[in-house]
Amino acid sequence: MSLSSPIVTGQTAQNLIGLARIVMGIAFVWYGFSKLYFIKGTIAFVSAKLPMGEFVFWFAMVVEAGGGLLLIVGYATRWVSAYYVFHCVFTGFVFHFVLNPSPLMAFPSRIQMDHFFANLVLASGFLIVMAIGPGSWAIDNKSKTS
């Protein structure tokens, strides 16, 4: 057995992929609906980085919550994952990529860079889901639309 050989295969691998897809979906449902806890502040934050902040806020809320639900049920999984690759990279660079050498801003910059890399990790996970499919417990498996 080489180091590149799969540790799990078959149905167990499909179950793990399905579990990962569902967890990623739950995270995005949370990201979408949690924006509703502080609407004005979030719109102000978005507006500082992008034009049409209110529209972008509501668009992001719907796309994150709606896409998360689609991931949970496993519908159009590869397409949702493809969009989320773009979404995660875009929001990572626009909202979280901060290189600030100021000692007064070191900790806030570090937090934002942590978020930036978390976005890149999520994008990487979505690339994997795009490549290998939704795993177990997905509507895509029944409808063959993935």
Side-chain angles (χ1 to χ4, degrees):
M1 176 184 229
S2 72
L3 291 176
S4 63
S5 297
I7 295 172
V8 293
T9 58
Q11 191 57 48
T12 302
Q14 290 301 306
N15 290 348
L16 290 173
I17 295 163
L19 177 63
R21 181 199 79 241
I22 291 167
V23 170
M24 292 166 77
I26 291 168
F28 271 82
V29 168
W30 169 254
Y31 296 151
F33 285 124
S34 70
K35 287 174 174 42
L36 298 175
Y37 290 121
F38 192 54
I39 295 173
K40 288 183 181 181
T42 308
I43 290 172
F45 177 72
V46 170
S47 296
K49 303 281 186 167
L50 295 173
M52 301 187 321
E54 190 167 347
F55 171 78
V56 172
F57 167 84
W58 289 108
F59 178 77
M61 186 264 160
V62 169
V63 164
E64 290 175 359
L69 289 171
L70 290 174
L71 285 173
I72 290 169
V73 299
Y75 182 76
T77 305
R78 291 179 195 250
W79 288 103
V80 173
S81 295
Y83 173 78
Y84 276 158
V85 170
F86 163 77
H87 182 86
C88 291
V89 171
F90 178 81
T91 58
F93 275 102
V94 170
F95 296 108
H96 303 300
F97 186 72
V98 179
L99 293 178
N100 191 341
S102 167
L104 297 175
M105 292 300 293
F107 187 67
S109 294
R110 157 105 193 287
I111 292 170
Q112 289 304 316
M113 288 305 289
D114 287 350
H115 287 286
F116 169 74
F117 283 111
N119 275 37
L120 293 185
V121 168
L122 280 166
S124 300
F126 286 120
L127 283 172
I128 292 169
V129 173
M130 270 177 47
I132 61 177
S136 294
W137 317 300
I139 291 172
D140 287 344
N141 294 335
K142 291 170 183 45
S143 63
K144 304 292 184 205
T145 61
S146 63

